[in-house]
Amino acid sequence: VHDITERKQTKQKLIESELRLAEATAITHVGFWQLNTTTNTIEWSPEVYRIFRIESDDPPSLEMVGSRIHPDDRQRCIDALTQTMAQRQPLMIEIRILRPCGEVRHCQVYGYALTDETGQTTAVRGAVQDITERKRTEQKQRQLERQIQHSQKLESMGILASGIAH
């Protein structure tokens, strides 16, 4: 007879931890990915499927992701990824993606190179975060600030005109 209580408790804690992580990634709109540079295959978390609006039945591929990156951002994204692989510099780039319905979303992409014992890059691991709502909020704030500045200018001109009239 073997007491497996500790093993079951550990397994339950792992399950709970995985659920909390999945919940956190959904709340923050952060997906995780890894590109194997040897095989040119990519793996990603369920949140990446949601961010890009890719069917979860479709196996992950570079072509699929590339087709969803806004055409104006594709080359910049490729260049940044290439630099990360070649020079092992951290990847941090803001891109736009196109969802199947035509909606444009803004994403922040982070990554870093993994190397083998010889120093060769074997993979790039990273995260992608949908920052569209934050971008919209920032844009609204800028518009509001411009309106306030315009109102202040008009008020100043009114005060000046009033002073000149007297």
Side-chain angles (χ1 to χ4, degrees):
V1 175
H2 294 286
D3 185 1
I4 60 169
T5 304
E6 188 175 325
R7 187 182 320 158
K8 284 191 168 209
Q9 289 173 342
T10 302
K11 185 177 180 180
Q12 183 59 35
K13 286 180 183 179
L14 179 61
I15 290 169
E16 290 170 3
S17 177
E18 287 175 350
L19 288 172
R20 284 193 302 274
L21 178 60
E23 202 173 87
T25 61
I27 290 169
T28 59
H29 306 289
V30 176
F32 301 100
W33 54 270
Q34 181 168 310
L35 168 65
N36 181 320
T37 59
T38 307
T39 62
N40 268 340
T41 56
I42 191 166
E43 299 173 45
W44 59 54
S45 69
E47 190 60 24
V48 175
Y49 284 102
R50 287 190 283 278
I51 291 170
F52 283 83
R53 291 294 192 264
I54 295 171
E55 294 297 321
S56 59
D57 297 344
D58 296 334
S61 72
L62 289 173
E63 294 76 24
M64 187 183 303
V65 172
S67 71
R68 297 289 170 89
I69 296 173
H70 193 284
D72 295 343
D73 296 346
R74 276 188 199 130
Q75 190 59 50
R76 195 168 48 85
C77 189
I78 291 167
D79 293 345
L81 185 59
T82 301
Q83 186 173 7
T84 296
M85 290 187 299
Q87 300 174 5
R88 290 161 209 52
Q89 294 183 352
L91 172 67
M92 189 170 81
I93 186 171
E94 186 177 313
I95 61 168
R96 292 166 294 167
I97 62 169
L98 298 170
R99 287 186 169 168
C101 64
E103 178 187 17
V104 175
R105 304 291 290 184
H106 294 265
C107 292
Q108 185 73 46
V109 181
Y110 306 93
Y112 63 93
L114 299 171
T115 58
D116 62 15
E117 54 281 343
T118 67
Q120 293 296 314
T121 300
T122 57
V124 179
R125 185 176 291 160
V128 58
Q129 182 176 27
D130 185 339
I131 59 169
T132 305
E133 297 311 315
R134 182 175 72 197
K135 296 286 283 184
R136 288 179 183 158
T137 300
E138 289 171 357
Q139 185 178 16
K140 288 177 185 177
Q141 282 182 308
R142 284 192 298 274
Q143 286 176 333
L144 185 58
E145 287 170 3
R146 283 193 295 270
Q147 289 173 349
I148 290 170
Q149 288 174 347
H150 183 69
S151 295
Q152 289 171 339
K153 285 180 186 177
L154 290 176
E155 182 182 355
S156 296
M157 289 175 61
I159 291 170
L160 179 63
S162 171
I164 292 172
H166 288 326

